[in-house]
Amino acid sequence: MTPRKLISSGSTFENSIGYSRAVVVDGWVHVSGTTGFDYTSMTISDDVAEQARQSLLNIEAALTEAGSSMADVVRVRYILPNPADFEPCWPVLREFFDEVRPAATMISCGLADPRMRIEIEATARIGSGVPASRAATEG
C-alpha cells in the first residue's frame, strides 16, 4: 500500500473546513466536490456553464498534481441546486469527457454558498485512461 498524498488547491475553504482538494491512495485519486471559484482570486462567475468550466479546470489541476489526468476519470458527480441549470453545462462537460465517458450522476441539493451553481466531484484511476484515438474505435 502506498502512503496517502494530500493535494491542496490553495482554496481558503480547505483550511476553514478541514479537507483536501484531492487524496491519492493506491493509484486512485479522489477529488473533493469542486466549485467554480477561481482559487487564485477567490472569484466566481454568475454563469453556470462558466462555473462548470472552472470547476473542471480546478479538478484537472488537482489530477495533474496527483500524476493523473482527465482521461483517467472513471466517476463524476454533478451537484446543482437548480436541476434546470444542468443542461446549459452539457457542452462544457462534453469538452472534457466526450471521449472519456465516466460513470456519472447528477444530484440536486443546496450548496454552501448561494453564488455556487454547480459542484463537481471526480474519481480517477491513475493510468487507466484510454488514448483518444482508441476511445473512438472501442466505444
Side-chain angles (χ1 to χ4, degrees):
M1 182 182 324
T2 57
R4 280 170 34 137
K5 177 180 179 182
L6 305 180
I7 295 174
S8 173
S9 66
S11 164
T12 58
F13 297 119
E14 294 168 23
N15 286 331
S16 298
I17 299 169
Y19 71 97
S20 296
R21 173 64 42 219
V23 176
V24 184
V25 65
D26 291 335
W28 289 96
V29 185
H30 302 273
V31 183
S32 294
T34 304
T35 62
F37 273 94
D38 176 335
Y39 296 128
T40 58
S41 62
M42 286 308 290
T43 58
I44 191 167
S45 171
D46 290 332
D47 181 74
V48 70
E50 283 306 310
Q51 285 191 26
R53 180 180 310 286
Q54 185 62 53
S55 297
L56 292 167
L57 291 171
N58 293 340
I59 289 168
E60 186 172 47
L63 290 171
T64 298
E65 188 173 337
S68 188
S69 72
M70 295 299 267
D72 293 334
V73 173
V74 296
R75 179 81 169 128
V76 64
R77 288 179 185 85
Y78 305 105
I79 305 156
L80 296 93
N82 181 355
D85 279 345
F86 191 44
E87 191 169 350
C89 296
W90 292 358
V92 173
L93 304 180
R94 277 194 308 272
E95 285 178 37
F96 285 83
F97 294 126
D98 193 38
E99 294 183 5
V100 178
R101 302 290 174 119
T105 300
M106 192 284 278
I107 300 165
S108 179
C109 68
L111 296 176
D113 182 319
R115 296 173 293 171
M116 299 172 180
R117 297 179 63 190
I118 187 168
E119 183 170 313
I120 304 172
E121 177 184 307
T123 304
R125 179 74 169 161
I126 296 171
S128 69
V130 176
S133 60
R134 286 189 29 216
T137 60
E138 292 179 4

